[in-house]
Amino acid sequence: MLYREALNKAIDECMAEDESVIILGEDVGRYGGSYRVSEGLFSKYGEKRVIDTPIAELSIVGNSVGMAIAGLRPIAEIMTENFSLLAMDPVINHAAKLRYMSGGKITMPLVVRMPGGVSRQLAAQHSESYENLFTSTPGLIVLSASNATYAYHALKWAIKSNDPVIFLEHELLYPMEMEFKEIENFDPFKAEVVKEGKDLTIITYLKMRYDVLEAEKELSKAGIDAEIIDLNSLRPLDIETIAKSIKKTKKCVIVEEDHKTGGMGAEVVSQIMENCFYDLDAPVLRIAGEDVPIPYNRKLELSTIPTPDKIVSKILDWKAQNGI
Amino acid sequence: MEYKVVMPVLSDTMDKGKLVKWYVSEGQYVNEGDKIAEVESDKATMDIQTFKSGIVKKLLVKESDEVPVKSVIAIIDTEAKKIKSEKESSKEQISDSNERNKKESAEIKTQNSTLNTQSPSTHPIFHPSTHKPLIPSTLPKGSASPAAKKLAGEYNIDIEKLQKNGSLPIPAHEEDINEFILKRYFTPAALKLLKEYKIDENEFKLDHKITKIEVLEYIKENNIPKITPLTPNQKAVIKTVENAITKPTYFIFDEIEVTKKEGIKLTALLIKALANAMQESPLTRSIIKDDIILTYPASNISIAVSRDEGLYMCVIKNAEEKNLEEINEWLKTIKTKRLSIEDLSGSTFGISNLGMFNIERFNALINDKDAGIAAFGSLTQGKIKVTFTLDHRILNGVEGAKFINNFKKEIKNV
């Protein structure tokens, strides 16, 4: 199943089940969605439940917050994560806080979906990730879907959640053909151990999962048996799964596409320090995007983000440097 | 205040007691009079109780360990107040939030959602347990990774001192400490055995220096096999003999008369006679390749040579043109010389001789692509029993018989 089809299936099933579920965003209706996620839904559910909006992110999320307060279950789509900056006020000041400020009287069954990350030559204003902004906001749940199975189950879970969920996707994942399986007793907050290993733990999420898997083939040729963990949920963070793995491997590498400084990886490292310090046999290695605006030129663009080659060489250098 | 629980004196003759079982664990709250352990003296088994209430701070003796009477086996912190167990408190939290959710849903009935909706705040991940990461009680000084220090602390290893005298690298990692622990508890010979037999060091109680003898006893007791990987030569031999049994072969059993010559190895005589006989039987100089037969002019013979590193089929080239002295010399050097591919290929017929081991008769497996092989037994009263194994695809019975008659003639003349 294609990644985007898994998202479509989740939305479609929830909309069929519950009339209060609606979607809104730029080109989600007649056009079927910029990445074809909402394909077919407009003709099925009509313009009252599949709403094409103006190019105005503040209004998309602001209206969604109002709908959620009034009892609907809106799924807002932001075309690119960079654009979500315009919607930060309703996300942070309203969605994240109203349940708390109303003493629990108001619930916020809202999902804001958005793709982020470096795609192919979309340049500095369309290539960023803001995991760090969302995950540092109390009141928000932040999920990142790297694969069809998690995307389907987690999005369904998010739509049914009475708390606001920021649902992060990646532009390069939409057309990818992926394995899909139905899961009973799905837990959106559980990190996935993608591959078990004993020598070191590689923590990653979203599209970097695939770069890490590619790099792992080379590492394995070099005799390194890596354990790979896909975080899935970025807030809350499943530190238990991470701690369990580090207890076994004693070494940890974090691979993220976002800029290194103050990124998601920095928070993961902090929690590792708090929970696993005495299990570590080497300083944690962060492999992240460079601290520069993402360039347009393809070669320069690739030079600013982790690639399988870079992941392998950085891990080998780090091992040599630390004598492990 | 700390209250120390000691191993009680249960009888006049008791000088040691065995701790059979702990009823409590570290961190658990105990009341005065609670049973905390079962101990065994030379005569009886009985429970011991604590005379003070508090939290069990440390259990100093492992189950089934023996300790002298009156030695401290547990420490109880009598000042610590009873706190609610983790389970109890988290239960309360969850029921609290359930309560709240119920209230909420009662208040917000304005919603017309038909989905089976959920409030994630009841998820356990939002209610982290009070569990804090365990901080090791003793951490040695020195430059080492946290994991290395933790391990060193458990074994009372002074990293700083060992780094000063060069026994540990700076910084030290877990692997270095592990190695040090092994060296501390095992003699070098014992360590070598552990590696050879792939035995986990944890099979031994690490409280004394373990010698080779102790490891050997363990190996014997548990019938542990020594692990030796096959050498490249052994693998090659296996491949050759497995290939040999797939060939359609037949045997010819015969006896030859041989007169030994001073200073010449018997095998040299056999090689020379065989080389001459091969000149008269072209099929013995032939190999099959796909659907053609390749017949070579030379008598190239493979000889089974047992060297220190294994069995090799060494090939003597143009044996028909060599005299006995040359062949004799070749046999001497081939035993020890460094073998090249040239020395091991290009043969069309083989010889194996077990006569020197007093074997009367045996049959051999054909080497590589050879047409056959002659297996020689011991020389008894001027006679040797020989078995020819022949590849029926190359030599039929009649050709085989003619070849062997030629050989018998030649052996008389060499």
Side-chain angles (χ1 to χ4, degrees):
Chain A
M1 183 184 286
L2 298 181
Y3 177 80
R4 64 171 159 82
E5 287 170 352
L7 292 167
N8 181 283
K9 181 173 154 75
I11 298 171
D12 190 8
E13 286 176 13
C14 286
M15 290 185 85
E17 204 181 315
D18 183 351
E19 282 196 346
S20 63
V21 178
I22 62 139
I23 62 171
L24 66 164
E26 292 154 17
D27 286 336
V28 297
R30 288 168 185 81
Y31 185 67
S34 300
Y35 297 99
R36 298 171 66 184
V37 170
S38 50
E39 206 168 55
L41 299 180
F42 183 81
S43 56
K44 208 163 165 184
Y45 300 107
E47 62 181 4
K48 289 221 161 101
R49 292 182 66 197
V50 182
I51 304 167
D52 278 321
T53 66
I55 306 176
E57 281 75 14
L58 170 63
S59 125
I60 296 170
V61 181
N63 278 313
S64 300
V65 168
M67 291 171 180
I69 293 173
L72 292 176
R73 293 187 169 270
I75 307 164
E77 181 181 295
I78 303 289
M79 198 186 281
T80 286
E81 211 162 314
N82 278 81
F83 304 165
S84 74
L85 294 173
L86 285 159
M88 275 301 174
D89 179 56
V91 168
I92 293 177
N93 271 331
H94 304 152
K97 298 195 170 52
L98 283 176
R99 183 163 181 184
Y100 170 77
M101 296 195 73
S102 67
K105 285 184 182 168
I106 295 173
T107 51
M108 190 54 59
L110 162 70
V111 182
V112 185
R113 290 181 40 244
M114 60 185 88
V118 175
S119 178
R120 279 180 162 269
Q121 295 191 273
L122 295 182
Q125 293 158 315
H126 296 70
S127 298
E128 279 184 318
S129 313
Y130 294 119
E131 285 91 282
N132 51 354
L133 297 184
F134 298 117
T135 55
S136 61
T137 303
L140 294 180
I141 289 165
V142 185
L143 306 179
S144 71
S146 66
N147 60 88
T149 301
Y150 184 82
Y152 166 76
H153 292 90
L155 184 54
K156 268 190 110 163
W157 182 91
I159 294 167
K160 294 177 184 186
S161 160
N162 284 332
D163 283 316
V165 177
I166 303 296
F167 199 88
L168 301 178
E169 297 156 16
H170 194 289
E171 286 168 27
L172 292 179
L173 298 178
Y174 292 117
M176 268 171 75
E177 181 67 43
M178 294 172 179
E179 195 191 319
F180 175 80
K181 58 173 189 281
E182 301 258 0
I183 296 174
E184 272 178 53
N185 303 322
F186 171 76
D187 183 347
F189 302 134
K190 191 102 193 103
E192 180 192 356
V193 179
V194 182
K195 178 199 165 280
E196 287 191 17
K198 60 177 177 19
D199 293 338
L200 60 92
T201 301
I202 305 179
I203 298 171
T204 190
Y205 60 97
L206 271 178
K207 188 242 167 192
M208 281 296 127
R209 169 191 177 124
Y210 301 96
D211 294 66
V212 167
L213 280 170
E214 201 59 36
E216 194 277 328
K217 289 180 198 161
E218 287 304 309
L219 291 175
S220 135
K221 278 184 208 158
I224 300 166
D225 182 12
E227 178 145 308
I228 301 172
I229 293 178
D230 185 334
L231 288 176
N232 287 337
S233 170
L234 303 185
R235 180 192 179 94
L237 197 64
D238 180 8
I239 191 70
E240 223 167 275
T241 298
I242 295 171
K244 199 173 144 210
S245 176
I246 291 178
K247 206 174 174 69
K248 175 170 68 172
T249 64
K250 308 274 161 73
K251 291 159 214 100
C252 182
V253 177
I254 294 165
V255 181
E256 58 180 329
E257 196 183 274
D258 193 10
H259 306 304
K260 187 170 181 179
T261 303
M264 185 65 212
E267 174 60 25
V268 176
V269 173
S270 300
Q271 294 205 26
I272 288 171
M273 285 299 141
E274 287 166 353
N275 289 275
C276 320
F277 182 74
Y278 290 105
D279 286 324
L280 286 173
D281 203 23
V284 178
L285 171 68
R286 265 194 296 162
I287 301 174
E290 302 293 334
D291 280 324
V292 294
I294 313 293
Y296 170 75
N297 175 292
R298 182 63 179 157
K299 278 185 182 166
L300 291 176
E301 182 179 63
L302 281 177
S303 75
T304 67
I305 54 167
T307 57
D309 287 351
K310 272 195 258 180
I311 295 168
V312 172
S313 66
K314 286 196 170 169
I315 289 177
L316 294 179
D317 287 352
W318 165 78
K319 276 179 70 83
Q321 261 170 28
N322 288 288
I324 45 168
Chain B
M1 278 284 286
E2 277 182 358
Y3 167 65
K4 290 175 178 137
V5 183
V6 297
M7 177 60 73
V9 187
L10 300 173
S11 74
D12 292 340
T13 53
M14 174 179 176
D15 53 2
K16 269 187 189 171
K18 181 177 171 186
L19 196 126
V20 181
K21 192 172 183 309
W22 282 114
Y23 293 131
V24 296
S25 50
E26 285 181 3
Q28 189 181 329
Y29 187 83
V30 288
N31 284 313
E32 188 184 330
D34 280 355
K35 288 179 197 167
I36 63 165
E38 181 184 318
V39 296
E40 190 181 308
S41 74
D42 50 351
K43 294 205 174 75
T45 308
M46 67 173 285
D47 291 331
I48 55 174
Q49 57 187 50
T50 168
F51 295 105
K52 301 227 162 121
S53 308
I55 282 179
V56 181
K57 196 170 166 192
K58 197 98 191 149
L59 300 180
L60 298 160
V61 180
K62 281 200 241 85
E63 287 186 354
S64 72
D65 272 5
E66 267 194 316
V67 293
V69 294
K70 290 183 185 165
S71 53
V72 180
I73 57 170
I75 297 169
I76 290 169
D77 184 355
T78 55
E79 265 161 13
K81 295 258 153 45
K82 187 177 181 179
I83 50 163
K84 280 177 207 163
S85 78
E86 217 171 80
K87 231 187 195 166
E88 282 169 335
S89 57
S90 69
K91 242 189 224 158
E92 278 172 23
Q93 273 181 8
I94 288 173
S95 61
D96 263 353
S97 59
N98 280 345
E99 207 54 21
R100 207 184 60 217
N101 286 335
K102 269 185 215 151
K103 241 160 93 192
E104 246 165 43
S105 46
E107 281 170 35
I108 313 174
K109 266 292 173 228
T110 54
Q111 300 188 4
N112 51 1
S113 172
T114 52
L115 280 177
N116 179 19
T117 61
Q118 56 222 344
S119 238
S121 54
T122 55
H123 193 282
I125 204 161
F126 291 98
H127 303 281
S129 59
T130 48
H131 167 82
K132 281 272 177 301
L134 203 66
I135 297 169
S137 51
T138 50
L139 277 180
K141 288 194 173 120
S143 169
S145 77
K149 283 200 170 183
K150 187 170 145 195
L151 183 63
E154 281 165 21
Y155 285 87
N156 274 322
I157 294 168
D158 187 340
I159 294 178
E160 196 174 38
K161 196 170 130 199
L162 291 165
Q163 285 179 331
K164 268 184 193 150
N165 70 24
S167 308
L168 278 178
I170 301 173
H173 290 96
E174 202 193 24
E175 201 185 345
D176 306 318
I177 307 293
N178 259 328
E179 233 166 71
F180 183 80
I181 293 169
L182 285 182
K183 279 188 198 146
R184 182 195 263 184
Y185 291 110
F186 292 92
T187 63
L191 264 184
K192 205 174 152 221
L193 279 177
L194 287 189
K195 273 189 194 139
E196 274 175 11
Y197 287 80
K198 294 220 161 88
I199 302 170
D200 185 359
E201 63 271 13
N202 292 320
E203 295 292 327
F204 296 87
K205 212 169 169 192
L206 299 182
D207 55 3
H208 63 291
K209 192 90 173 177
I210 294 156
T211 62
K212 185 180 170 181
I213 296 164
E214 199 174 323
V215 179
L216 282 173
E217 269 168 19
Y218 175 86
I219 288 167
K220 187 113 201 265
E221 234 167 70
N222 296 287
N223 195 26
I224 294 171
K226 184 177 172 179
I227 299 160
T228 319
L230 291 175
T231 62
N233 170 257
Q234 282 170 317
K235 285 186 196 159
V237 170
I238 289 171
K239 212 173 144 192
T240 306
V241 294
E242 280 179 350
N243 178 35
I245 59 162
T246 65
K247 291 175 183 168
T249 56
Y250 65 99
F251 303 112
I252 294 181
F253 307 96
D254 213 326
E255 200 169 47
I256 54 169
E257 286 176 29
V258 186
T259 321
K260 277 200 83 171
K261 279 202 165 84
E262 194 61 39
I264 302 288
K265 286 172 182 278
L266 194 56
T267 309
L269 297 177
L270 299 171
I271 291 171
K272 183 66 191 163
L274 196 77
N276 291 348
M278 281 168 77
Q279 285 302 308
E280 293 156 60
S281 302
L283 286 175
T284 62
R285 286 179 272 116
S286 304
I287 60 167
I288 289 185
K289 197 179 176 193
D290 301 327
D291 53 356
I292 52 169
I293 286 189
L294 297 170
T295 304
Y296 296 95
S299 296
N300 291 351
I301 303 171
S302 57
I303 323 289
V305 178
S306 175
R307 292 165 51 115
D308 289 344
E309 65 271 33
L311 169 68
Y312 289 88
M313 293 303 284
C314 301
V315 179
I316 181 165
K317 304 276 165 68
N318 295 94
E320 78 282 5
E321 285 173 6
K322 293 190 167 70
N323 61 35
L324 281 175
E325 283 72 27
E326 284 169 331
I327 296 173
N328 205 46
E329 198 49 41
W330 181 88
L331 278 172
K332 277 184 199 162
T333 52
I334 203 72
K335 270 274 193 193
T336 50
K337 81 169 274 214
R338 207 191 136 121
L339 297 173
S340 65
I341 301 251
E342 248 332 88
D343 294 319
L344 298 168
S345 53
S347 63
T348 60
F349 210 89
I351 286 181
S352 180
N353 186 0
L354 286 180
M356 50 290 225
F357 297 107
N358 249 340
I359 300 296
E360 196 191 353
R361 185 194 279 286
F362 74 106
N363 65 315
L365 291 166
I366 295 175
N367 173 50
D368 198 23
K369 298 186 185 73
D370 291 358
I373 188 165
F376 296 95
S378 56
L379 177 65
T380 336
Q381 292 164 351
K383 286 181 175 173
I384 293 176
K385 290 197 164 98
V386 55
T387 309
F388 283 84
T389 307
L390 300 166
D391 188 335
H392 215 311
R393 294 172 302 179
I394 303 175
L395 290 146
N396 292 325
V398 173
E399 284 122 13
K402 281 183 185 164
F403 169 60
I404 289 160
N405 282 326
N406 280 334
F407 171 67
K408 282 159 83 177
K409 210 166 62 200
E410 290 292 338
I411 195 77
K412 283 181 187 160
N413 302 333
V414 286

